[in-house]
Amino acid sequence: MPSIEPLKQAPTGGEPAAASRLILFLTVFIDLLGFGIVIPFLPMFAHKMGVGAVGVGALMAIYSLMQFVFAPILGRISDRVGRRPILLLGLLGSSIGYLIYGFAGTFFWLLASRAMHGACAATISTAQAYIADTTDDAHRAKGMGLIGAAFGLGFVLGPALGGIMGYSSLRVPVFFASALTFANFIFAAAKLPESHHADRSTPLDLSHFIAPLLALPRELLRHRLARMFAIAFLLTFSLSALETTFALMVPVVYGYGTFGIGVLLAFAGLMQALAQGYLLGKIVGRFGELRLLKIGLLAMIVGLAPMGSISSHGALLAMLAAVSLGYGFASPSIASLISRNTDRDLQGEVMGVNQSAMSLARICGPIAGGFAYQLMGPAAPYLGGAAVVMLALAATSAIDVRSS
C-alpha cells in the first residue's frame, strides 16, 4: 500500500486542489466506466450459467449489501490513514473482482465476485470525503457534483462499449473492464495526491474500525444528521425502483425494444451528467444547496408520478429528463449539506454512513419496485416512487444549514 508523504498533500484551495479534483474525477469515471461495461450484461451472463431470476436478484443485492457494510468502515479507515490508500485499494480490488467474474464457472464464484466488487465500491464515500478535503463550503456542492457526473458519464459510455465488445463473448467486456480498472489503479497511484492528514492518534485496531458498523443502526436513526440520511435514502430508494423496472415497463407501455431502451438510458445518463457536471456549479451559488435540493425533489415528483400512465413518447422523454435532472440536483446537494454539517476530521466516517443509507436504499428499492410492478401494474413503481420523494421533500422543512 502506498505511503502517505507530506509532499503529496493536496491543498484545500486554488489550482493544485482543482487539479487534484480533476484527477479524482478521472479516477472515478474510469472506475464507473468499467462498471457500466459489465453490469448491463450480468443477467445474460448469469442466465448462460443456469442462474434463475432469484439468483440474479441475489447477485444484485449482495453488491449493495457489501457496499452498505463496508462504506462506514472504509470511511473511518480513510480518516485514520488518508483517502489515497483506500481509493487505490478499491481500484485494485475491483480489478481483481472483474477477473473472478470473468473466470467464474459457478454461481458461487459469480456471487463472490459481486460481493468483492460491492465492498470495493464502498470507497465512493471516500471519494466524497476527498472532495470535502479539497473544497470550501462555497464550492462543496459543485465538487460533489463532479462525482455524480463521473457516475453519469460512466453509465452512458460503459454499456455502449460493453455492447460492442460483447458480440463475440460476454466474458470479453469483463476482462477489458479488469484491465481498464488496473490501468486506472496505476494512473491513480502515480498521479492522485493525498488530501487528508493521517490521524496517527487514533488506535489502529479491529475494534476501532468495526465500531461504525456496530453503531450503524443508531447512526442512521439517531444521529443529529439522521433526517439528511433519511432524505438521501428516500430519493435513492425511488430511483433504484425505477432502474429495476424501467426495462420491463417501457416495452409494454411505450413499445420500445432493447435498442430503444439503451438510447433512453443513455439520454437519462446524459441529463444527470449535465445536471451534476455543469448546471449545478452554475446555479448552486445563486440558490444554495437546500433550495436546490427542494427543486430537485420537486422535479423528480413531476417526472415520476405520471410515468407509465401517459403513453406519449415525447412525454416519456420529458418525464425521464425531469427525473434525471432532479436527481442530478438533489443527490449532490444533500451530500454537500451533510458534509457542511460535519467536522473535517469526521468527513470520511459521516459520508460513509450516508453511503450506507444509500446502499440500503439500493437493496430495498428494487425489491419494492419489483413487487409493486408485479402486483399493481407498470405505473405503480413510479407513482409510489413519487410518494416516497414527497416524504423526502417534507423532511427538508426541518433542515438547518451550518453557516460557513
Side-chain angles (χ1 to χ4, degrees):
M1 186 175 291
S3 60
I4 302 173
E5 302 293 339
L7 290 177
K8 289 190 174 183
Q9 184 77 18
T12 57
E15 292 302 321
S20 299
R21 292 193 293 274
L22 176 60
I23 294 169
L24 181 67
F25 170 83
L26 292 173
T27 300
V28 175
F29 166 67
I30 296 172
D31 189 30
L32 268 295
L33 181 65
F35 183 88
I37 287 171
V38 171
I39 290 309
F41 302 95
L42 174 60
M44 298 171 60
F45 191 90
H47 180 71
K48 286 182 176 292
M49 293 172 52
V51 179
V54 174
V56 172
L59 291 172
M60 302 299 284
I62 197 165
Y63 176 91
S64 294
L65 178 62
M66 294 298 287
Q67 193 177 42
F68 173 78
V69 168
F70 277 90
I73 295 175
L74 293 179
R76 177 167 284 195
I77 293 176
S78 80
D79 288 336
R80 170 62 173 79
V81 305
R83 317 299 184 204
R84 186 172 182 269
I86 301 303
L87 292 170
L88 294 178
L89 179 65
L91 291 172
L92 182 60
S94 292
S95 180
I96 295 171
Y98 286 135
L99 275 181
I100 297 172
Y101 186 144
F103 284 113
T106 66
F107 174 73
F108 171 80
W109 285 110
L110 199 55
L111 193 69
S113 73
R114 299 305 301 139
M116 183 173 187
H117 202 184
C120 293
T123 58
I124 194 65
S125 60
T126 305
Q128 290 178 322
Y130 190 106
I131 291 293
D133 294 337
T134 57
T135 56
D136 55 23
D137 287 344
H139 299 91
R140 188 71 44 80
K142 181 179 178 180
M144 294 297 178
L146 286 177
I147 302 297
F151 264 87
L153 289 174
F155 284 132
V156 170
L157 299 177
L161 288 175
I164 293 171
M165 292 182 290
Y167 280 115
S168 58
S169 170
L170 289 176
R171 296 182 188 269
V172 171
V174 181
F175 291 129
F176 178 81
S178 177
L180 181 69
T181 307
F182 185 76
N184 194 21
F185 165 75
I186 299 298
F187 168 75
K191 298 293 185 180
L192 185 68
E194 180 55 73
S195 68
H196 177 70
H197 289 290
D199 181 10
R200 304 298 185 187
S201 64
T202 305
L204 192 63
D205 57 67
L206 181 62
S207 62
H208 176 76
F209 293 121
I210 66 171
L213 179 60
L214 298 177
L216 193 55
R218 177 180 57 82
E219 292 287 353
L220 287 173
L221 298 174
R222 302 179 64 182
H223 194 281
R224 66 181 182 84
L225 300 179
R227 185 179 296 270
M228 295 189 191
F229 297 148
I231 292 170
F233 172 88
L234 292 170
L235 69 93
T236 305
F237 179 99
S238 63
L239 187 74
S240 63
L242 179 150
E243 291 169 343
T244 302
T245 59
F246 188 76
L248 300 174
M249 179 273 294
V250 167
V252 174
V253 179
Y254 299 96
Y256 287 109
T258 304
F259 178 76
I261 293 170
V263 171
L264 289 170
L265 292 175
F267 171 74
L270 284 172
M271 289 296 100
Q272 186 173 330
L274 174 66
Q276 296 184 328
Y278 178 74
L279 295 176
L280 190 72
K282 297 291 185 181
I283 63 178
V284 68
R286 180 177 180 179
F287 292 100
E289 287 98 332
L290 182 55
R291 187 176 298 176
L292 198 57
L293 170 62
K294 294 177 180 180
I295 292 171
L297 293 174
L298 279 171
M300 289 184 69
I301 293 168
V302 169
L304 282 170
M307 192 173 289
S309 300
I310 301 175
S311 58
S312 165
H313 292 187
L316 175 61
L317 286 176
M319 291 181 287
L320 199 56
V323 173
S324 301
L325 290 171
Y327 186 80
F329 290 143
S331 183
S333 294
I334 190 62
S336 180
L337 286 169
I338 290 170
S339 176
R340 288 186 63 177
N341 284 272
T342 301
D343 294 335
R344 281 197 174 270
D345 60 346
L346 295 175
Q347 290 285 335
E349 180 179 341
V350 172
M351 298 310 291
V353 174
N354 183 55
Q355 188 65 39
S356 287
M358 296 170 69
S359 297
L360 183 60
R362 293 189 185 101
I363 296 170
C364 301
I367 296 172
F371 271 109
Y373 186 95
Q374 185 169 334
L375 296 176
M376 292 177 281
Y382 313 106
L383 189 59
V388 168
V389 179
M390 285 181 185
L391 292 177
L393 182 61
T396 63
S397 62
I399 288 180
D400 293 321
V401 181
R402 179 182 290 184
S403 59
S404 304

